[in-house]
Amino acid sequence: MADATTKFLLHEDDIPTHWVNLTPDLPGAPLPHALHPGTKEPAGPDDLTPIFPMGLIMQEVSPEPEIEIPEEVRDAYKLWRPTPLHRARRLEQALDTPARIYYKYEGVSPAGSHKPNTAVPQAYENAKAGMKKLVTETGAGQWGSSLAFACSLFGLECEVFMVGSSYDQKPYRRSMIQTWGATVHRSPSELTEAGKSQASHPTGSLASRSRRRSRSRRRIRTPTTRSGRCSTTCCCTSRSSARRRSRRWRWQATNPNVVIACVGGGSNFAGLAFPFARRVLRGEAKTRFVAAEPAACPTLTRGVYRYDFGDTVGLTPLMPMYTLGHDFVPPPMHAGGLRYHGDAPLVCALVKAGVVEARAYRQNETFEAAVKFSRTEGIIPAPEAAHAIRAAIQEADEAKEAGDERVILFNLSGHGHFDLAAYDAYLAGTLEDPEFSEQDMEDALARLPEAPAIA
Amino acid sequence: MADATTKFLLHEDDIPTHWVNLTPDLPGAPLPHALHPGTKEPAGPDDLTPIFPMGLIMQEVSPEPEIEIPEEVRDAYKLWRPTPLHRARRLEQALDTPARIYYKYEGVSPAGSHKPNTAVPQAYENAKAGMKKLVTETGAGQWGSSLAFACSLFGLECEVFMVGSSYDQKPYRRSMIQTWGATVHRSPSELTEAGKSQASHPTGSLASRSRRRSRSRRRIRTPTTRSGRCSTTCCCTSRSSARRRSRRWRWQATNPNVVIACVGGGSNFAGLAFPFARRVLRGEAKTRFVAAEPAACPTLTRGVYRYDFGDTVGLTPLMPMYTLGHDFVPPPMHAGGLRYHGDAPLVCALVKAGVVEARAYRQNETFEAAVKFSRTEGIIPAPEAAHAIRAAIQEADEAKEAGDERVILFNLSGHGHFDLAAYDAYLAGTLEDPEFSEQDMEDALARLPEAPAIA
């Protein structure tokens, strides 16, 4: 990272040809298998065929450290990648820090976040397998809009079930989904069994989380007759998508002291961190890693490491992860993408091994960081990304205290164009600042499903 | 423009060092002077000192073909520039055209459009001249948010008067302005004399247009005591900003057959077209130019070429331009940035000379083009930019008809993240499709102010 440069832009030929799979490099015992939700025996590739197309299964179970990105996916990536890497010089000056702060900006994608990086290959593999339509779930709309965009590229129909409160309060994400040709339903709906069972929930949060984690994997083969069906399950949450978002640039030769990203399910963190983490696991570097999460949904900092379902209604395989209980409903907060009860097994394994440090931040302090960032670097960040900014500023302040010139790299995972009402609330001093209480923790522990101990 | 490449990204060292000033290259007689609104004599630099800082005046009256961009401005540009140039391969395929379509995407700027390109130097020159605060007007909020962003970079206070209807209906642009630290008022307001005189107008459109064109040039020297004042006038509309947005990339060596941009006041069009236009004016190329405007506000296609005020209330110098009358109020439409009654004198001179062809499009056909673009290229465009897309598709269709491989280059001037309600209306089939009637034209001619003939 040459000192004189502010913004790094690569040529499209530099879009990576492979995804990083960290599985073979994990320390200690191999990553525990997911368990079949009925038998509680290890789930194998056969258990996945009703859910995934073969292309995704092969990625899911691969022991290879690198997985080739299909040419068609790389072609689609060219619509917005390579994304820029910025030196945050104006933020550094405002903080009066000797640290050097870099951020990778994912908000330039059509959907405005990192999520198309995994939505595009998921749509591609389904189209290649002959699927005609994908059905998915979305919370605040980031994932639903990303999948709608991805489906539009491969001629797939797309149907999105959107959390009721977001459907009502965030009409613009709904509009994006429709502009890309997909249909949207308010969730829970009367169109699915899962929806009917959740219909009494006022916001739809419960159903939302379950469907959201399943993402595009619940698909149907005869869309004209079963277009409302949304019942199959998912597996391994963002483990595979984590693999799909890595090795982004040539600056791996550089050596940041600390790499920071926010964590909801883990794919955003993994996309930035895994190529660097592999170097650490192989003894080639000493980079630290910080996973920034909300204090109101502190899965990595306060959750327990054990088997739990990936979805709220308990239909998915059991996965080894830090969890607050699969039916945990976080309080309302604006970083909708960070409201997941667990985390990707690969990310959890890195926390468990002490490779990644998790930190939880309160909502108001993340918005304070976001406004400081907006007024120095220009970009108005998504509330999710604001957690990473908060951690980066903490590191920069510590660098000032210690008088060191540490190099900080964080992922600015998306823009905040659809979150401006939250900025209004912060600036007006009326933003809620929810936390996770001892009672919440006790409740979470009481709700955990029976499952074998992690070996 | 190498055939294999989809997206062109330059290094920040490629941000231009100079702006293009087309004045010395104009064909025929020199561009007519602006006239003092009282004496109707040519307005000189002295008439501008109450309005502009000297740095901007020197650009405004310069006879030089290139004007150096201050180092501080280039540094600020690095926050988002160089902006990407895309080959629209998926759109070409969808249109089944032999044409090659390229677009420059300005939506990656923090404010989401091309406008920071001129907001930043205007803020810089004012800060350099010792100003502490800028006061401006905005329609839908694009300009107000761009100036708020620019002021945040140079430590200037900023106060924005926003058209009442937008203030009520587009709260997100208002939120952006506040996030960057500026204050916003609903316009017309009781805070200014101009506002009081317009208070009976239901939407505030009249006051809005006058203030909007004056942009940051109305500034005050003692903000603490006069922070509500908004009374001085502007000059030459976007003429100087037109100069400030050009010579963007090295691909000038390439030779597009047609260059297309939407036109509101002219700065977006000028930014893309002027470097190419200079080559045409010097006999070095044969590029065609298309200025795309809304059929409901057809200044270039149906306006008359004569002197008129730049603002609605008649406070600015009289400028030579195509105009529909300075107090013309276009019908409601979603391309808020294209609702100006006139156009920049330099752009008008090029239309008058036959160098630029103007075309007017109806609102629904521009949204049809925008949706087609979203579903192929991903990005959801601003309604203003949709006019350029519509023209580009027309050119591509003509290329198919003629069987030629023409190279089409257009400016995608911004994203549509704050315009999604208009997409909803289009998709629901309820979008209005206003036009400009013969009666509108008669009314416009009757309203024109007395002024000398253009020499």
Side-chain angles (χ1 to χ4, degrees), chain B residues 126-138:
Chain B
N126 277 287
K128 190 176 157 199
M131 294 299 113
K132 301 296 179 203
K133 178 174 183 174
L134 298 187
V135 181
T136 195
E137 169 66 47
T138 194

Side-chain angles (χ1 to χ4, degrees), chain A residues 152-381:
Chain A
S152 77
L153 299 179
F154 297 108
L156 289 166
E157 280 186 74
C158 181
E159 190 171 12
V160 180
F161 289 77
M162 186 170 184
V163 168
S165 55
S166 295
Y167 186 92
D168 299 333
Q169 292 161 21
K170 297 205 168 184
Y172 276 10
R173 280 270 168 211
R174 201 171 77 200
S175 307
M176 291 182 95
I177 292 167
Q178 291 170 328
T179 298
W180 281 314
T183 56
V184 198
H185 306 288
R186 193 183 190 285
S187 175
S189 76
E190 290 294 310
L191 297 168
T192 69
E193 293 307 314
K196 286 175 189 169
S197 75
Q198 299 289 339
S200 64
H201 195 282
T203 65
S205 298
L206 289 173
S208 85
R209 304 316 302 175
S210 74
R211 292 208 196 89
R212 180 164 183 234
R213 305 319 300 176
S214 65
R215 300 187 163 176
S216 69
R217 290 145 191 165
R218 271 162 303 141
R219 67 210 194 286
I220 50 177
R221 288 169 194 276
T222 52
T224 50
T225 57
R226 301 160 74 186
S227 61
R229 185 169 164 196
C230 181
S231 62
T232 52
T233 58
C234 84
C235 171
C236 299
T237 61
S238 53
R239 179 175 165 189
S240 58
S241 57
R243 288 184 197 151
R244 282 185 209 114
R245 300 197 48 254
S246 303
R247 226 186 65 159
R248 287 220 184 95
W249 58 63
R250 283 185 175 157
W251 303 293
Q252 284 192 30
T254 66
N255 195 14
N257 297 103
V258 56
V259 172
I260 300 168
C262 65
V263 175
S267 68
N268 169 64
F269 178 88
L272 181 73
F274 277 14
F276 294 100
R278 181 161 68 182
R279 293 170 60 203
V280 170
L281 293 171
R282 293 180 179 179
E284 299 163 6
K286 288 187 185 297
T287 316
R288 290 185 292 120
F289 299 92
V290 174
E293 64 180 13
C297 188
T299 49
L300 292 172
T301 49
R302 298 187 62 189
V304 289
Y305 189 62
R306 49 108 74 215
Y307 279 107
D308 199 356
F309 296 110
D311 68 330
T312 309
V313 289
L315 296 171
T316 72
L318 289 155
M319 289 173 294
M321 59 181 177
Y322 286 94
T323 178
L324 299 172
H326 66 286
D327 56 357
F328 171 65
V329 180
M333 57 183 188
H334 293 282
L338 307 185
R339 295 178 78 245
Y340 186 47
H341 69 272
D343 287 293
L346 277 173
V347 172
C348 292
L350 292 175
V351 173
K352 184 75 181 163
V355 176
V356 172
E357 176 196 354
R359 294 185 200 156
Y361 296 104
R362 298 287 287 271
Q363 181 157 264
N364 271 284
E365 63 183 333
T366 64
F367 272 87
E368 182 189 1
V371 168
K372 190 183 287 279
F373 186 84
S374 302
R375 293 182 184 178
T376 50
E377 295 296 311
I379 298 163
I380 297 177

Side-chain angles (χ1 to χ4, degrees), chain A residues 76-99:
Chain A
Y77 280 166
K78 291 176 186 173
L79 289 174
W80 74 97
R81 290 174 65 171
T83 54
L85 177 75
H86 295 255
R87 170 89 180 266
R89 290 186 184 279
R90 286 168 193 266
L91 178 62
E92 290 170 16
Q93 286 161 16
L95 297 172
D96 189 26
T97 178

Side-chain angles (χ1 to χ4, degrees), chain B residues 127-211:
Chain B
K128 190 176 157 199
M131 294 299 113
K132 301 296 179 203
K133 178 174 183 174
L134 298 187
V135 181
T136 195
E137 169 66 47
T138 194
Q142 285 273 13
W143 172 253
S145 55
S146 296
L147 193 69
F149 157 63
C151 284
S152 78
L153 299 179
F154 297 107
L156 289 166
E157 280 186 74
C158 182
E159 190 172 14
V160 180
F161 288 77
M162 187 171 184
V163 168
S165 56
S166 295
Y167 186 92
D168 299 335
Q169 293 162 23
K170 298 206 167 182
Y172 277 9
R173 279 271 168 212
R174 201 172 75 199
S175 308
M176 292 181 94
I177 292 167
Q178 290 169 330
T179 298
W180 281 314
T183 54
V184 197
H185 306 288
R186 193 183 190 283
S187 174
S189 76
E190 290 293 310
L191 297 169
T192 69
E193 293 306 315
K196 287 176 189 170
S197 75
Q198 300 288 339
S200 63
H201 194 282
T203 65
S205 297
L206 290 173
S208 83
R209 303 318 299 176
S210 74
R211 291 208 197 89

Side-chain angles (χ1 to χ4, degrees), chain B residues 344-402:
Chain B
L346 277 173
V347 173
C348 292
L350 292 174
V351 172
K352 184 74 180 167
V355 177
V356 172
E357 177 196 354
R359 293 184 200 156
Y361 297 104
R362 297 287 286 269
Q363 182 158 264
N364 271 283
E365 64 183 332
T366 64
F367 272 87
E368 182 190 1
V371 169
K372 189 185 288 278
F373 186 83
S374 302
R375 292 182 185 177
T376 50
E377 296 295 313
I379 298 162
I380 298 178
E384 291 85 355
H387 290 71
I389 298 171
R390 179 66 191 81
I393 290 177
Q394 181 181 354
E395 287 283 338
D397 286 346
E398 288 171 6
K400 184 180 180 182
E401 191 77 24

